[in-house]
């Protein structure tokens, strides 16, 4: 027969809850459209308390490099070339919502501001259909556009 003995249980000291590190938009913003967009969404997450509509801000993943099989499937599922990157589905001031096409600053002085023909068609259509649509060349421009839109200045 084996005897089992247990020692005193270890004393557990209260632990402090882990502090979540706040990701600041400035920490994410780089030279790519993707990093600028990530910074915009970090700002939006931090700003939902002031602008609750930002909870509904979303990205439409129409661009990017994809393998042929994925591209064919996405096309069959309804992905459309030229659709703006970001959408805020909140209407006011006779507008149904706010679309933003993100570009990086180096395209600002390119032909059509770096917009493709399909992007121009979408921008023009969205305006005619009652949406606000903007091209922004940094997360701060997109932030300022969204604030102005939400505050009824656009």
């Amino acid at each position: 027969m084996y005897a089992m003995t247990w020692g005193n249980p270890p004393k557990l000291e209260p632990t402090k809850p882990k502090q979540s590190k706040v990701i600041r938009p400035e920490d994410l913003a780089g030279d790519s459209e993707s990093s600028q967009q990530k910074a915009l969404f970090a700002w939006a997450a931090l700003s939902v308390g002031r602008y609750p509509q930002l909870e509904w801000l979303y990205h439409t993943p129409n661009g990017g490099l994809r393998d042929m099989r994925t591209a064919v499937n996405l096309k069959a599922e309804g992905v459309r070339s030229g659709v703006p990157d970001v959408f805020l589905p909140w209407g006011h001031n006779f507008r149904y919502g706010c679309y933003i096409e993100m570009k990086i600053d180096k395209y600002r002085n390119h032909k059509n501001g770096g917009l493709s023909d399909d992007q121009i068609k979408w921008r023009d259509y969205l305006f005619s259909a009652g949406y606000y649509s903007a091209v922004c060349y940094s997360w701060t421009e997109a932030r300022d556009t969204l604030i102005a839109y939400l505050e009824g200045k656009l």
Side-chain angles (χ1 to χ4, degrees):
M1 179 165 238
Y2 295 99
M4 295 184 75
T5 59
W6 296 92
N8 291 333
K11 286 190 175 185
L12 297 176
E13 297 294 324
T15 59
K16 294 180 183 175
K18 279 189 172 181
Q19 295 284 332
S20 296
K21 182 181 177 191
V22 175
I23 298 174
R24 298 175 329 132
E26 297 83 2
D27 298 334
L28 297 171
D31 293 336
S32 70
E33 186 178 305
S34 175
S35 67
Q36 291 294 315
Q37 198 162 297
K38 288 174 187 173
L40 174 65
F41 277 86
W43 165 80
L46 294 171
S47 301
V48 167
R50 183 167 182 189
Y51 302 105
Q53 302 91 335
L54 290 174
E55 177 182 353
W56 306 107
L57 185 71
Y58 68 90
H59 163 65
T60 303
N62 282 334
L65 296 175
R66 296 184 176 38
D67 62 82
M68 183 57 74
R69 182 177 185 181
T70 302
V72 168
N73 284 333
L74 289 173
K75 181 87 171 168
E77 292 171 3
V79 168
R80 300 285 306 268
S81 177
V83 174
D85 298 307
V86 178
F87 182 57
L88 179 63
W90 186 69
H92 75 117
N93 284 353
F94 305 104
R95 295 285 181 196
Y96 298 118
C98 179
Y99 280 95
I100 295 177
E101 175 61 36
M102 295 293 298
K103 294 289 181 194
I104 54 176
D105 194 54
K106 75 177 189 177
Y107 293 118
R108 184 184 304 273
N109 296 318
H110 283 196
K111 180 182 176 192
N112 299 320
L115 294 177
S116 69
D117 290 343
D118 286 338
Q119 289 169 330
I120 292 168
K121 283 185 203 175
W122 272 98
R123 182 198 58 200
D124 294 347
Y125 168 74
L126 291 168
F127 267 119
S128 71
Y131 293 89
Y132 185 78
S133 184
V135 179
C136 297
Y137 295 89
S138 69
W139 79 269
T140 55
E141 280 186 29
R143 173 202 62 200
D144 294 347
T145 297
L146 287 168
I147 290 171
Y149 180 80
L150 289 167
E151 293 180 351
K153 297 173 184 170
L154 296 177

